Structures are given as structure tokens and as C-alpha cells.
Amino acid sequence: MYKIPTQNYPIIRQWIAPGSRVLDLGCGDGTLLSSLIREKNVEGIGVEISQDMIVRCIQKGVSVYQADIDKDLSEWPDRSFDYVILNATLQAITKPYNAIEEMLRVGRHAIISVSNFGYLRNRIRILTQGRVSAHTRSSAHWYDSPVIRFVSIKEFETSLEEMGVEVMDAQFFLACNRVIGSRWPLYNLLAREGIFKIRRGSSE
Amino acid sequence: MNQIVKTQILHTDAPFRLESGDVLEHLDIAYETYGELNERRDNAILIEHALSGDAHAAFYHERDRKPGWWDSMIGPGKGFDTERFFIICTNVLGGCSGTTGPASIDPATGKPYALSFPPITIRDMAETQRVLLAQLGIERLKCIAGGSMGGMQTMQLFCDYPLQADSFICIASTMKHSAQQIAFNEVGRRAVMADPRWNGGNYYGEVSPEAGLSVARMIGHITYLSEKMMQEKFGRAKKDKDAKVIFRPSFEVEHYLDYQGISFVRRFDANSYLYITNAIDNFDLMGSLRSKDRARGEGRQRGTPLDALKSKRGLVVSFTSDWLYPPSQAKEIVRLFTGLNVRVSYAEIETDHGHDAFLTDFEYQTAIIQSFLDAPS
């Protein structure tokens, strides 16, 4: 069964200034937001599409809006948040460019995590078995998987560049939950996940 | 074992001032309560009813086979749990189920008010509930909740008295009517007034304008259902295939609307219908929050700055197939309250049941309302 990854929560908490306004897209059961509210005293709002998750957020006292990230972000006014988070959700979005543009319109900063399809284990699995692993797609079958976007960290970085986005910080998770802050050689091969703090490029 | 309840009436002789400036010298408020008020008097929830509702929200009246209009949501272990909360529901001002309205006797003349009844507003309705709460000794509500027109009263009361309630739940509602919504209501009112029996509102003691009022109700019912639901429920099925008489109801959907119209006129006053729909059309939450009348407040809480709403909680619920009060209007409510720094959550329930879903789709509504009322504040 799919588990909500929490190993990058400490990084997100570190990146977010106390007392700021935070929008968490695809907030799941509200675990991240409620910890940010508790520890960073943020004003947080989550966006979720699943009814069950909405109920669980409300139970925790987390404000949540039932909405579709692909459609409903345009309803938020410009710059209404300090941070817009997209954690473990990018791979499930139909129009990622649009979502990232909207995040940077609605928020002053965006925080996006990317599961790395270029990670060594994924490559070996494809090479030796000719199959995408269940772990990679968060589901045993390709046809019911929430993961519809397979992207490597390098490709994602290229996209950010194309969009004229400034990367303020980036962290990469290696095996055994080791985190590196710099782009080691072969990081696109060795990191299973990357997390980016971005904002609109200063040229704009 | 069905729980029995009785509608009670609070009689007051203190003059009651309306937004219009008119004064009612005497006011009756019909209400029901469910569950027990705790010792700290802090477990009360006020339920607001919709256009055609009444104070009988839950449980059974003696010898009745049908329970109150929201019995599936109110009771032991239900969305509004009567084992934990003290639930209050009042009939609205201008209504015809015990609270003073156009069919009530005007003490000045000894006859029914009819159209001499002053115009009323959603805020006036909310104010009558304050009279009852004072009488019951309840200073602070855990929550105010209502659907449709009940949602309007909920929002008005929540904003007018920011210190009074901890939270609100607004279901299938809007902060102001659109042109289309006003148009539907106007057609309903015209149907009533076009009935010769309406007679300028003076029909008490005679046959009431049943034909007009039932047409108004039929129009209303079309807007309460979704196209898909109507199609699935009735399609083009005919009840009486060999009907010899032309222009008698033959399609199932005609019979359904006919039945809804007839059962409505038995329990509802035509003038009440005019006054209440007029109050709904003129409701404009944002306008009312800016108005001088809000600040006036007559020494009460009403003039309290809206800053006091900060960090209170709200829940807004809409239904995907509700085209009377569509999700887009619910989102406007969410934006307004988010702007007032209320911690709002928004749920959009997937259903084919249209506007009436707030009276029929209980499963998810119950889960979400329970978790909202349970949540740490």
C-alpha cells in the first residue's frame, strides 16, 4: 500500500519561516500542515481532491478545500501565500507546467518534491526486468496508478530553467535517507528524490 | 423507540425592531430543542431551516409517522449528536409554523396582518433567534448551521455577533442571489399573486390561493433537482397511458410536481412564501456587513469589529449537481470568510441529487460534520 513519504518534512519545516501563510497542494490527511501549524505557527490551508482525506484533515483541525489542482488554482488571488507546497504530488498532475506557474503566481515561494525516475534502482529494474517497479508508481498496476508523470531530477531542473524559475535551494535524498545539498556527480543516478525551493526568476 | 418532541412557543411582548424600521409589538417564536444543555451552557448548536422548513427539525411529533425535516442529521450518534450537543431550531420570522408572520393576528386590528405585515430580512430572522437564545440563557453557541436559506441566516448571525458562536456550517447556500435566482423566485411570487384567490393578500378565512402557490412550489422543485436525477427518476414515463382527457398530468414528472405542489399548500401560507422569498432575494451578506445597521446594533454585540472572527472556524459544503446554489457560489463564501481570517474548510460533495442533496445525502455530510464538530478548536 502507498505510504505518505514523510522523510522530507524536516527540510520543508526548515525552509518555512515562522508565522507565514502556507498552501499545501495535495495535502493528504493534513499531517504536514498540522505539524507546520504546531511548530511554525503558520496559517495553513490544504487542497485535496479525496473526500476521505478531507474528513481526516478536518478531524485534525486543518483547514482544507476540496478542489482539483489541475483546474481550481486560478481561483486564488495573486501572492496570497508565502509558500505553496507540492509534496509527493507532482507525479499525479496532468498539467504540471500550469500548476507550477500557478503556484508561483499564488505564492511568493514554491516548494516542490520530485520522485526521481532516473534513480539507479529504477534504471536497473527496467534494464533487468523490463518493468516499472510497483514502488516507483506507488501501485502494483500501471492502469490504476496515481503516478502519471515519470520525470527525472535532471529533466525537472531543465524545465525549471525553461520556465525562468530561480532555484533558491535544493536537497536530494540518497539511499538510506542520506541528504545531500549539493549536486554531486551522478546525483541524477543516486538520488531517489529531490526537493526544490523556488521562486520567480529575478529577470522578470 | 422514536423520540417524541413538541414545538414550543416563546411569547414576547417587548417591541421587536426590524431592519425596515417597523416595530412588531408582539413576537411569537416557535422552537424545538433536542438533547440537553450542559452545566457550562457551552454545547448549544443552532440549526437554521430553509425556505419551506419549520422548527420541527428532528424526532417525532406525537402520533406523526414522519420525523422532522433533518432527522437523519440530528439525533443520538448522528451528524449533530444529541447525546453531546443541545440542538435548537426555530421557525423563521415571517413563517407560518408558529413564529409571527403575515398569517398571525395583528394585535392592533385583531385580524391577520396579511400585507400590512412589515417587510422582513434574513437579518431580522437572525435577530429573532437572539431573542430566544437570551431567553434560554445561552450566551455562546458551539456552532450555527444551516442549508440553503438556513445557510444565509447562519452566515448573517455568525458575522453580526462575532463573539457569540465558535463556528459555522453553511451548506448549499450563497451570500447573495444572482439574477437567475431572483428570476425564479419572482416567477413563483407572480404565480401566487396571479391567483384571483390571493386577493391582494386578503384570503384568510376564505379559500387560499392554492393554485398559485402550488405552481410556485412546482417551479421551486424543478430547481431543487438536477436534470440527470429527474431523467433517471421519471424519464418520459407516463402514469396513465390511456388518459382520455387532454392536458391532465400524464407524465410521471407531472404527477410528481403536482403532488409536491398540493402537499405544500396544505402546510404553507402563500403570503409567508412572498415575504420569505423576498427576504432571500434581498439578502446580500457583504452589503449587510458594510451597512450602518450592522454598526447600530443597539448596544448589543452587532457593532463588534469583524476582527473578532479571526481564528474561528467555518465549514462550507456544496453539491456538484446543485444548480440552484452551485459550487461556484459556495467558493465565493469560502473566499469571503478566508479573507475575514476565519479558518474555513470547503467540501464539494459528488452527487446527482441537486440542491436537495442537503436533505438526502447523509453519509458524507455526517462524516464531515462529525469531524468538524470533534476537531480541536
Side-chain angles (χ1 to χ4, degrees), chain B residues 240-354:
Chain B
D240 186 2
K241 287 199 182 69
D242 308 315
K244 295 282 190 296
V245 189
I246 195 167
F247 301 141
R248 299 295 295 171
S250 60
F251 288 104
E252 291 274 9
V253 66
E254 293 174 320
H255 280 278
Y256 168 80
L257 291 176
D258 205 35
Y259 170 79
Q260 293 298 339
I262 289 167
S263 55
F264 186 61
V265 300
R266 283 198 203 116
R267 65 181 177 87
F268 214 83
D269 176 56
N271 286 336
S272 276
Y273 193 86
L274 302 180
Y275 276 91
I276 294 173
T277 55
N278 181 60
I280 294 172
D281 286 345
N282 283 293
F283 174 68
D284 175 358
L285 182 63
M286 279 174 102
S288 81
L289 297 188
R290 285 192 294 258
S291 80
K292 287 205 185 82
D293 199 64
R294 178 179 183 278
R296 205 171 64 208
E298 289 158 14
R300 293 169 296 188
Q301 254 188 54
R302 207 202 261 171
T304 309
L306 289 168
D307 298 348
L309 290 177
K310 192 175 156 76
S311 81
K312 288 183 183 280
R313 297 190 311 130
L315 173 64
V316 178
V317 179
S318 76
F319 300 96
T320 51
S321 57
D322 182 351
W323 61 279
L324 181 60
Y325 297 132
S328 58
Q329 287 186 329
K331 288 178 192 169
E332 285 175 7
I333 297 172
V334 172
R335 275 200 292 279
L336 171 73
F337 282 97
T338 302
L340 292 172
N341 291 312
V342 177
R343 286 153 53 208
V344 197
S345 286
Y346 171 60
E348 196 173 300
I349 299 180
E350 184 84 40
T351 175
D352 290 335
H353 295 153

Side-chain angles (χ1 to χ4, degrees), chain A:
Chain A
M1 208 32 233
Y2 181 63
K3 228 176 90 229
I4 297 167
T6 57
Q7 78 274 358
N8 58 23
Y9 285 11
I11 294 175
I12 297 174
R13 270 197 290 272
Q14 215 178 347
W15 279 349
I16 285 180
S20 49
R21 283 180 58 81
V22 176
L23 182 68
D24 185 3
L25 303 177
C27 66
D29 67 357
T31 304
L32 173 62
L33 263 183
S34 65
S35 85
L36 290 172
I37 292 165
R38 215 172 36 241
E39 291 165 33
K40 289 282 189 163
N41 195 29
V42 303
E43 278 178 52
I45 295 174
V47 172
E48 224 340 293
I49 200 164
S50 142
Q51 295 200 342
D52 294 340
M53 291 298 166
I54 297 276
V55 172
R56 288 167 65 179
C57 284
I58 292 174
Q59 237 156 18
K60 288 195 174 75
V62 169
S63 296
V64 64
Y65 295 179
Q66 190 160 9
D68 182 346
I69 299 169
D70 273 319
K71 284 192 293 205
D72 301 324
L73 290 185
S74 60
E75 289 164 14
W76 292 98
D78 291 2
R79 304 251 149 169
S80 39
F81 291 91
D82 298 308
Y83 303 92
V84 182
I85 301 172
L86 189 70
N87 187 35
T89 306
L90 179 73
Q91 54 272 23
I93 289 182
T94 317
K95 294 180 284 182
Y97 266 45
N98 180 59
I100 294 169
E101 291 287 355
E102 284 294 88
M103 288 171 76
L104 291 171
R105 179 185 64 77
V106 170
R108 295 194 299 125
H109 310 91
I111 294 171
I112 303 178
S113 79
V114 184
S115 178
N116 184 17
F117 194 56
Y119 177 43
L120 181 64
R121 204 173 74 176
N122 295 330
R123 298 194 199 188
I124 291 174
R125 180 93 181 182
I126 287 276
L127 206 63
T128 58
Q129 300 186 16
R131 287 169 173 272
V132 179
S133 76
H135 180 82
T136 305
R137 63 161 63 104
S138 308
S139 154
H141 313 290
W142 63 271
Y143 47 82
D144 61 3
S145 161
V147 177
I148 57 167
R149 299 286 174 205
F150 293 93
V151 58
S152 72
I153 285 178
K154 263 198 175 154
E155 289 172 299
F156 183 70
E157 286 180 312
T158 309
S159 296
L160 293 180
E161 217 167 288
E162 274 172 18
M163 295 170 85
V165 167
E166 181 193 335
V167 176
M168 300 168 69
D169 199 349
Q171 302 279 326
F172 305 98
F173 294 83
L174 308 182
C176 341
N177 281 339
R178 187 153 170 216
V179 184
I180 51 169
S182 59
R183 286 163 184 76
W184 282 13
L186 301 180
Y187 72 103
N188 190 43
L189 182 66
L190 299 176
R192 47 183 177 70
E193 188 189 319
I195 183 161
F196 297 80
K197 183 181 179 186
I198 60 175
R199 66 179 173 199
R200 274 227 204 280
S202 44
S203 58
E204 277 183 271

Side-chain angles (χ1 to χ4, degrees), chain B residues 182-244:
Chain B
I182 295 169
F184 274 117
N185 269 354
E186 176 61 3
V187 175
R189 282 188 294 267
R190 286 293 181 92
V192 171
M193 294 187 284
D195 186 330
R197 285 179 167 147
W198 180 63
N199 188 31
N202 295 308
Y203 52 82
Y204 297 110
E206 319 269 327
V207 181
S208 68
E210 292 174 350
L213 183 60
S214 70
V215 170
R217 183 62 172 172
M218 287 162 82
I219 295 161
H221 256 277
I222 299 169
T223 67
Y224 304 155
L225 305 179
S226 72
E227 187 203 5
K228 185 172 181 206
M229 184 195 179
M230 264 196 160
Q231 190 57 29
E232 279 170 4
K233 196 167 172 179
F234 309 110
R236 295 185 46 81
K238 285 196 173 180
K239 202 162 196 167
D240 186 2
K241 287 199 182 69
D242 308 315
K244 295 282 190 296

